[in-house]
Amino acid sequence: MKNYGTYFQNDPVKPLVYGEVELINPPRQRLRGEPAKDGILVHPVMVGFCGTDHELMEMGRKGLLGPKFPAGTNRLINGHEGIVWVPGINRFAIVLIRGGDSIDPTRYTEDETYFEYGCDQADGLFCDSMYVNPDMLLPIPDGYVHDGKLDLSFAKKMVFPDPFACMLFQLERMEDLGSAHWFRQTARRRHCSLEEARTIAADEIFQRTVIFGLGTTGMFIGDVIRQKHPHAKIVFVGRSDENSPKVRFALEQADAIYVKNNYDDPADCAKAIIQALGGRATTFIGVSGSNVEHRIAFEHKVLGCNGIYNSFSLGPKVTFDTMPFGFENHLIFGSINFRQDHMEQAIQMLAKSRYDEIVGLIDRDEFAADPMGAYENKIYCKAAPMKTAVIWNPAMIDTTR
């Protein structure tokens, strides 16, 4: 089936192009033990741009995309955040991005395989049509479709379920690990049973939380911590001006404190963070993608004794001095995952949120005319909105709502 969309290829000059491409529809498996199913045809309606898209473009420029291409092809239609129309069942849906021959595709093991629509071995959403395993089409809540069209404000929010689900997983993971890390000393301090202490410790671990980096992931993790742990003290650290719309929005959502990192010396930044926290951190979450994260946490001692370090950044190397690390009993972990139930929960939570306010739109025709130029000059440049999306099918969107 012929189709128009953007796709990545290995090319030093044009790793991303818009044009006609032949769709493929191999049977795909949602989970191990389930049958592989032919995909059903869907039409993308609203699609968001993710930093992964930009990274894939750079990989194509270097000729490194071969393992990412669907079998038998030399290209990958990108896009993994958005909402689609499913004509066969006459409804809108969110695509569950990861599947495969695995017990849980987001945490596959050595003898398992996975795929990701728009990212790895399966075509994605930046196209007129695509094929999706029918079991991987998640329903949307009622009340956001009028006269067959999707409310624009809701559609904007639906570019976020994938990263928001990742943050729900991070929250669960920090609660689990923090509880196990603290519960014995909590039991002694509170004079309670070990079972009671686990519940208390899962809350105490967030009493002084640093979120180092203020992109959408940092904003989301602050939001979900605040919703689940209303007494947490949260400090965002970023480089944006404290009066910028992004910072104001994040502080409102998470009821947080902000430290602007305009310090030449990381030690001075660390002092400002500790002062804002009122002590050393119980939890440090690195989401900035910079190498200064671990230095602030360990070398400059922002992370306190028995604290946990959540490394969510891709790229930086985390190092620490083993002597204070051992004696201060730090717990370090990193994991970029979610489950289907996290996606389903994210859809419900986002529907009631204000996150449409941080999504800017780029015109589809402008994007299609020069996708690489759009990436470099509008979507991923310094002046870009916090999140950019494109209405791929304007006939399906009610722009008045």
Side-chain angles (χ1 to χ4, degrees), residues 215-266:
T216 51
T217 51
M219 184 181 295
F220 290 159
I221 194 60
D223 186 359
V224 298
I225 290 172
R226 172 62 64 212
Q227 291 190 52
K228 188 74 178 292
H229 300 277
H231 300 298
K233 190 167 191 178
I234 301 171
V235 171
F236 285 117
V237 183
R239 293 191 174 276
S240 299
D241 187 84
E242 50 264 44
N243 294 315
S244 69
K246 175 179 80 171
V247 173
R248 290 201 306 267
F249 184 88
L251 297 184
E252 289 171 8
Q253 290 295 103
D255 188 21
I257 300 167
Y258 185 65
V259 171
K260 182 180 179 181
N261 183 14
N262 58 351
Y263 299 95
D264 294 329
D265 187 342

Side-chain angles (χ1 to χ4, degrees), residues 142-393:
D142 294 333
Y144 300 101
V145 179
H146 298 87
D147 298 322
K149 293 186 177 184
L150 193 66
D151 295 354
L152 176 59
S153 59
F154 175 77
K156 286 182 174 182
K157 299 171 188 176
M158 291 303 106
V159 300
F160 291 124
D162 182 280
F164 202 88
C166 284
M167 294 306 102
L168 289 172
F169 172 81
Q170 295 300 311
L171 175 65
E172 179 183 271
R173 192 96 160 102
M174 287 185 288
E175 290 172 336
D176 289 348
L177 294 174
S179 171
H181 193 47
W182 277 35
F183 78 103
R184 293 189 184 279
Q185 61 99 350
T186 297
R188 292 188 177 94
R189 179 167 30 84
R190 296 288 190 112
H191 305 290
C192 62
S193 69
L194 294 180
E195 184 177 352
E196 291 174 308
R198 281 188 178 273
T199 301
I200 297 169
D203 183 66
E204 286 183 330
I205 200 69
F206 297 108
Q207 61 187 274
R208 291 186 300 277
T209 299
V210 175
I211 301 171
F212 198 91
L214 193 50
T216 51
T217 51
M219 184 181 295
F220 290 159
I221 194 60
D223 186 359
V224 298
I225 290 172
R226 172 62 64 212
Q227 291 190 52
K228 188 74 178 292
H229 300 277
H231 300 298
K233 190 167 191 178
I234 301 171
V235 171
F236 285 117
V237 183
R239 293 191 174 276
S240 299
D241 187 84
E242 50 264 44
N243 294 315
S244 69
K246 175 179 80 171
V247 173
R248 290 201 306 267
F249 184 88
L251 297 184
E252 289 171 8
Q253 290 295 103
D255 188 21
I257 300 167
Y258 185 65
V259 171
K260 182 180 179 181
N261 183 14
N262 58 351
Y263 299 95
D264 294 329
D265 187 342
D268 293 331
C269 181
K271 290 176 184 176
I273 295 170
I274 292 171
Q275 182 176 5
L277 282 172
R280 294 171 71 190
T282 54
T283 293
F284 189 107
I285 306 167
V287 289
S288 73
S290 69
N291 279 308
V292 75
E293 290 174 350
H294 69 97
R295 293 187 59 201
I296 293 286
F298 300 115
E299 180 182 335
H300 299 291
K301 297 187 177 298
V302 167
L303 186 63
C305 291
N306 305 304
I308 63 172
Y309 183 93
N310 181 351
S311 176
F312 194 77
S313 291
L314 291 176
K317 293 182 179 180
V318 176
T319 62
F320 53 87
D321 186 335
T322 55
M323 180 68 80
F325 170 75
F327 280 97
E328 295 195 350
N329 196 34
H330 290 146
L331 174 64
I332 301 174
F333 81 97
S335 187
I336 300 178
N337 294 305
F338 63 84
R339 297 188 306 270
Q340 180 172 331
D341 62 309
H342 290 137
M343 278 284 282
E344 292 165 341
Q345 184 182 355
I347 292 167
Q348 296 292 331
M349 293 176 69
L350 286 164
K352 301 172 184 176
S353 76
R354 296 171 46 206
Y355 283 111
D356 55 309
E357 296 177 23
I358 63 170
V359 179
L361 297 176
I362 186 171
D363 180 75
R364 177 188 163 160
D365 291 339
E366 177 187 2
F367 173 58
D370 183 11
M372 287 186 61
Y375 270 40
E376 294 168 346
N377 301 318
K378 288 209 166 182
I379 300 169
Y380 299 108
C381 66
K382 188 174 182 180
M386 195 162 188
K387 185 74 170 182
T388 303
V390 58
I391 301 175
W392 201 266
N393 192 335

Side-chain angles (χ1 to χ4, degrees), residues 87-113:
I89 53 178
N90 201 37
R91 68 173 174 88
F92 293 96
I94 305 294
V95 178
L96 178 65
I97 296 303
R98 296 178 180 93
D101 181 22
S102 47
I103 299 300
D104 185 340
T106 68
R107 286 177 292 284
Y108 70 100
T109 59
E110 293 85 353
D111 66 333
E112 299 178 333
T113 61

